[in-house]
Amino acid sequence: MAKKKIKKPFFIFNPKSYLYGHDLEEMSKLAEILANKYPQVSVLLTAPFADISSVSQNVNSALISAQHIDGIKPGRGMGLILPESVKYAGASATFINHAEHPLTFDQIIQSIKRADELDLITIVCANSLEEAKAISALHPDIILCEPTELIGTGKISSEEYILNTNKVVKEISPQTLIMQGAGISTADDVFRVITLGADGTGCTSGITTSEDPRETFSEMVLACQRAIENKE
């Protein structure tokens, strides 16, 4: 099966370990509804490894992402995450080098290589302009430009950071999509970063800790749609 295509803009709801089991399954059903309601937007949902199989049964238009893979092949590797396993479970994408699961540069290279071999979409995290520049040379599908110090703070990246990282990544790897994700907590934040040139964005606590997570998720995907309509 060929690697699935990501449309611009895209939105990734990454519940981390806030949601699991039934609650996550319900969110996967909502992700599928939103993906069909806003067909110009790619909607992705990240799931813990143990939940990938169950939530993937609920989507067709929406995509499921693993939280991480290790750059290993079938064989030894007790406790590591085998890329073939997440692919078999139904994941179409994977995060690599998230701030909560950082990798060495050599490990990033190996994980991207294995993901490419299996046609998994690579979402590689970079916490600085310098790291974004280095990772761009590996030509991942998506680079998440997210200063670690802003994660979960509700403070989004400065306009200067967004514009500079967008420019640097595109100069080195024009086909790589840029995700700006730090501190996204409202639909207005989503609209702003897409309007500033990001190809996509995403959110965790802004959705999971809101009074109505389903409504907030829906509003953020709608904001992606509004942002592309505003550009036209």
Side-chain angles (χ1 to χ4, degrees):
M1 184 182 295
K3 184 178 292 190
K4 294 189 176 181
K5 301 293 184 184
I6 297 291
K7 291 170 284 190
K8 299 186 295 183
F10 60 87
F11 184 82
I12 304 178
F13 175 26
N14 179 23
K16 298 182 180 175
S17 294
Y18 286 94
L19 300 178
Y20 59 90
H22 174 75
D23 290 338
L24 190 62
E25 286 186 20
E26 290 303 304
M27 279 300 190
S28 69
K29 294 174 185 177
L30 177 57
E32 181 68 6
I33 290 170
L34 295 172
N36 287 311
K37 186 175 182 179
Y38 305 109
Q40 290 179 278
V41 181
S42 282
V43 179
L44 293 88
L45 175 71
T46 306
F49 308 114
D51 291 296
I52 291 174
S53 182
S54 62
V55 298
S56 67
Q57 304 304 311
N58 299 323
V59 302
N60 184 40
S61 299
L63 303 177
I64 301 301
S65 174
Q67 295 181 343
H68 164 80
I69 59 167
D70 290 296
I72 61 171
K73 293 186 176 182
R76 297 181 64 177
M78 184 71 171
L80 300 180
I81 305 302
L82 178 67
E84 279 83 354
S85 292
V86 301
K87 176 80 171 183
Y88 180 80
S92 300
T94 183
F95 274 78
I96 294 170
N97 194 46
H98 191 275
E100 295 176 16
H101 201 318
L103 302 177
T104 66
F105 200 70
D106 182 62
Q107 289 172 324
I108 294 172
I109 292 171
Q110 293 304 313
S111 293
I112 291 175
K113 179 181 178 182
R114 294 275 22 249
D116 286 342
E117 289 172 356
L118 296 171
D119 289 324
L120 286 167
I121 297 161
T122 49
I123 307 163
V124 186
C125 304
N127 66 15
S128 67
L129 185 64
E130 292 74 18
E131 192 169 48
K133 187 182 297 185
I135 291 172
S136 296
L138 303 178
H139 307 295
D141 297 299
I142 298 170
I143 291 182
L144 167 51
C145 300
E146 186 175 53
T148 302
E149 67 271 14
L150 296 182
I151 295 175
T153 65
K155 299 178 182 178
I156 63 176
S157 302
S158 68
E159 182 172 335
E160 180 183 14
Y161 175 87
I162 292 172
L163 294 175
N164 284 343
T165 49
N166 289 354
K167 182 174 183 290
V168 163
V169 171
K170 292 297 187 182
E171 284 178 348
I172 299 171
S173 185
Q175 75 275 23
T176 295
L177 302 181
I178 302 168
M179 177 179 174
Q180 298 283 354
I184 300 295
S185 58
T186 68
D188 287 341
D189 293 337
V190 171
F191 183 85
R192 177 174 177 267
V193 297
I194 299 298
T195 301
L196 285 173
D199 297 310
T201 188
C203 184
T204 297
S205 57
I207 295 175
T208 59
T209 63
S210 67
E211 291 186 6
D212 188 339
R214 293 177 62 86
E215 181 64 22
T216 303
F217 185 12
S218 301
E219 289 175 351
M220 288 186 174
V221 176
L222 172 58
C224 285
Q225 177 69 31
R226 288 178 47 240
I228 57 173
E229 290 174 351
N230 187 62
K231 289 181 179 182
E232 293 176 351

